[in-house]
Amino acid sequence: MRRLEEKINYMNRLKEAINSSKALFFLTFKGISVQEVIEFKKDLKRRDGEAKVVKNTLLRRVLLDMGMETNDDVFQNTTMVVFCKGDPLEMAKSLISHLKDKENLKIKGGIYDFKFINPKMMEELSTLPGKNELIGQLIGLLRSPLTRLIYIIGSPYTSVINTIYTIKKKKEEN
């Protein structure tokens, strides 16, 4: 009976962590050193993320109870779940770049907006510009026509001022 209560508490804590996350990413690991895990978790913490190793059977049960789509490949081998509390695109970019040179850490997939994302889709997501980059591009697009309009409105006055300045220079020379 005590073992069942522990599992129920574990599943409740897992549900709370999932509910407080904007996205989930599933990783598999094999032969990873403790130092690598510590560095990986520190990097995630800087990006508003958290990683936990979970039991596959309990993770499957929790995700199904919550109505989230999954893939059976997620529940093979060992599973580390990255809970993303910040921007999911930035986290996906960070994970892809961090794991490119790591052979012992691989992405199994993820869940974003209650939908399963396979590893290939995650790589495609990581190539998209982030929120701040998109805002910068939008501001640039909005600013360009306004800058041209100001230049066009000001150009007749600039021509008049330049003409007056040239006349003044010629009179001073004489």
Side-chain angles (χ1 to χ4, degrees), residues 19 21 110 116 120:
N19 282 329
S21 301
F116 181 76
K120 185 179 178 185

Side-chain angles (χ1 to χ4, degrees), residues 20-84:
S20 66
S21 301
K22 294 181 181 177
L24 303 173
F25 301 103
F26 306 110
L27 310 174
T28 186
F29 60 96
K30 198 176 210 175
I32 189 169
S33 71
V34 174
Q35 187 62 33
E36 287 177 309
V37 172
I38 291 171
E39 288 176 20
F40 182 66
K41 285 187 174 187
K42 281 182 183 177
D43 185 46
L44 288 177
K45 197 168 220 171
R46 277 184 255 135
R47 300 179 192 285
D48 273 342
E50 181 183 1
K52 288 186 181 180
V53 177
V54 296
K55 296 178 181 179
N56 286 330
T57 54
L58 297 179
L59 176 63
R60 174 184 275 155
R61 184 169 287 162
V62 167
L63 292 175
L64 289 175
D65 285 350
M66 295 178 77
M68 294 189 186
E69 294 179 17
T70 57
N71 187 335
D72 287 337
D73 293 340
V74 169
F75 307 110
Q76 304 297 319
N77 303 320
T78 54
T79 303
M80 179 186 295
V81 179
V82 175
F83 301 96
C84 175

Side-chain angles (χ1 to χ4, degrees), residues 12 46 51 59 76 84-85 91 101 104 118 149:
N12 287 335
R46 277 184 255 135
L59 176 63
Q76 304 297 319
C84 175
K85 293 176 174 70
M91 183 62 75
D101 58 342
N104 48 6
N118 63 34
L149 178 65

